[in-house]
């Protein structure tokens, strides 16, 4: 039977996935946080050398991307493990996924920088600061609202950067306000998690699980077929 996209059902399913796989998700998150923290410290420690610092930043960005995409793959595997077993070699992101994600990240960031420079030349009625503020909101909204769905397409469907962007707009279309409610829930969780480091370690994985489940449920709702992950409830 067809299952329309539901905010409550998405949160419930994500919570159940987290509960059933709490140990696996927590261990992965702690290890990932430790790796990023140590790498970030090393980059900061050698920041006196511009070349070394630049190379270190690029390596850190690739490392964070790898860890993030691996977690997305892990999330999909954990949702589907009721149907088949998997080993951890299967959560390693493919090179194409890394390239697609980083390309999309660079494209959007570059566009934002170009628009910012364009605004610098605008001084009509002193609206420059206002336009910069609006641009900041738009960029933040995109990265928090559409970018996660783009990432799911890159991981789950091996989509390219621009292809994933088009797919994300199509997927959310028709369920924009429901997805926006999930966006607000995620924002609230991130604010609560930001109070402590431990809170972030717990909240960030849950937030990503919510996004993965939302993506999967949106895909099934567009296909007008039975929602298989309802089995995980």
């Amino acid at each position: 039977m067809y299952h329309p996209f539901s905010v409550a059902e998405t949160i419930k399913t994500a919570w159940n996935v987290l509960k059933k796989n709490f140990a696996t998700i927590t261990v992965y998150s702690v290890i990932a946080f430790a790796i990023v923290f140590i790498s970030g410290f090393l980059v900061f420690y050698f920041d006196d050398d511009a070349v070394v610092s630049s190379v270190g930043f690029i390596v850190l960005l690739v490392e964070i991307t790898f860890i993030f995409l691996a977690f997305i793959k892990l999330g999909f595997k954990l949702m589907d493990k009721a149907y088949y077993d998997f080993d951890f070699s299967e959560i390693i992101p493919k090179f194409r996924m890394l390239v697609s994600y980083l390309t999309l990240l660079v494209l959007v960031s570059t566009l934002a920088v170009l628009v910012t420079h364009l605004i610098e030349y605008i001084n009509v009625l002193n609206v420059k600061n206002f336009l910069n503020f609006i641009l900041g909101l738009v960029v933040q909204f995109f990265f928090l609202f559409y970018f996660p769905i783009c990432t799911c397409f890159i991981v789950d469907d091996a989509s390219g950067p621009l292809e994933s962007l088009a797919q994300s707009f199509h997927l959310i279309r028709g369920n924009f306000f429901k997805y926006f409610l999930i966006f607000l829930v995620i924002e609230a969780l991130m604010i609560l998690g930001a109070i402590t480091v431990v809170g972030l370690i717990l909240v960030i994985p849950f937030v990503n699980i919510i996004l993965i489940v939302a993506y999967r449920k949106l895909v099934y709702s567009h296909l007008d077929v039975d929602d298989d992950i309802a089995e995980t409830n």
Side-chain angles (χ1 to χ4, degrees):
M1 183 174 65
Y2 168 61
H3 292 268
F5 183 68
S6 164
V7 175
E9 196 67 27
T10 298
I11 303 298
K12 177 184 175 183
T13 301
W15 178 247
N16 286 334
V17 171
L18 180 66
K19 284 195 302 181
K20 291 178 182 179
N21 304 281
F22 184 78
T24 300
I25 292 172
T26 300
V27 169
Y28 182 94
S29 300
V30 171
I31 293 175
F33 179 82
I35 292 173
V36 172
F37 178 81
I38 293 172
S39 300
F41 174 79
L42 291 175
V43 171
F44 176 79
Y45 184 78
F46 292 106
D47 67 345
D48 291 336
D49 188 316
V51 176
V52 174
S53 181
S54 298
V55 173
F57 176 78
I58 293 173
V59 171
L60 179 61
L61 178 61
V62 173
E63 183 180 282
I64 292 173
T65 299
F66 182 90
I67 291 172
F68 177 56
L69 295 180
F71 182 83
I72 299 299
K73 290 198 73 173
L74 175 63
F76 283 124
K77 296 297 182 182
L78 292 176
M79 284 197 297
D80 295 335
K81 75 174 186 177
Y83 309 109
Y84 60 87
D85 294 326
F86 72 96
D87 57 64
F88 279 92
S89 63
E90 295 180 52
I91 73 169
I92 297 176
K94 296 181 180 178
F95 179 73
R96 178 181 175 180
M97 295 176 184
L98 288 169
V99 172
S100 294
Y101 181 90
L102 289 172
T103 300
L104 183 58
L105 180 65
V106 170
L107 285 175
V108 176
S109 300
T110 301
L111 180 61
V113 171
L114 290 176
V115 175
T116 300
H117 284 303
L118 178 62
I119 292 174
E120 291 297 321
Y121 291 101
I122 298 175
N123 197 26
V124 181
L125 299 178
N126 295 318
V127 297
K128 185 174 69 175
N129 291 336
F130 175 74
L131 291 176
N132 278 324
F133 173 73
I134 295 299
L135 175 64
L137 289 180
V138 170
V139 171
Q140 182 183 23
F141 181 78
F142 174 82
F143 275 112
L144 295 176
F145 195 78
Y146 282 104
F147 208 82
I149 297 296
C150 295
T151 304
C152 289
F153 274 114
I154 288 172
V155 171
D156 191 44
D157 204 34
S159 300
L162 297 181
E163 181 186 11
S164 68
L165 184 58
Q167 288 172 317
S168 68
F169 279 99
H170 173 73
L171 190 66
I172 296 174
R173 186 178 60 190
N175 289 290
F176 181 88
F177 290 106
K178 290 182 180 179
Y179 187 72
F180 184 71
L181 288 176
I182 291 178
F183 170 77
L184 294 179
V185 170
I186 288 174
E187 285 289 281
L189 288 172
M190 291 299 294
I191 291 173
L192 290 175
I195 296 174
T196 63
V197 174
V198 175
L200 279 177
I201 294 176
L202 296 175
V203 168
I204 290 177
F206 182 45
V207 163
N208 285 309
I209 292 294
I210 292 174
L211 291 168
I212 295 169
V213 173
Y215 160 83
R216 183 67 68 82
K217 285 184 174 291
L218 282 167
V219 167
Y220 277 110
S221 69
H222 276 265
L223 292 175
D224 194 25
V225 297
D226 191 25
D227 181 358
D228 288 343
I229 58 174
E231 301 288 340
T232 65
N233 290 342

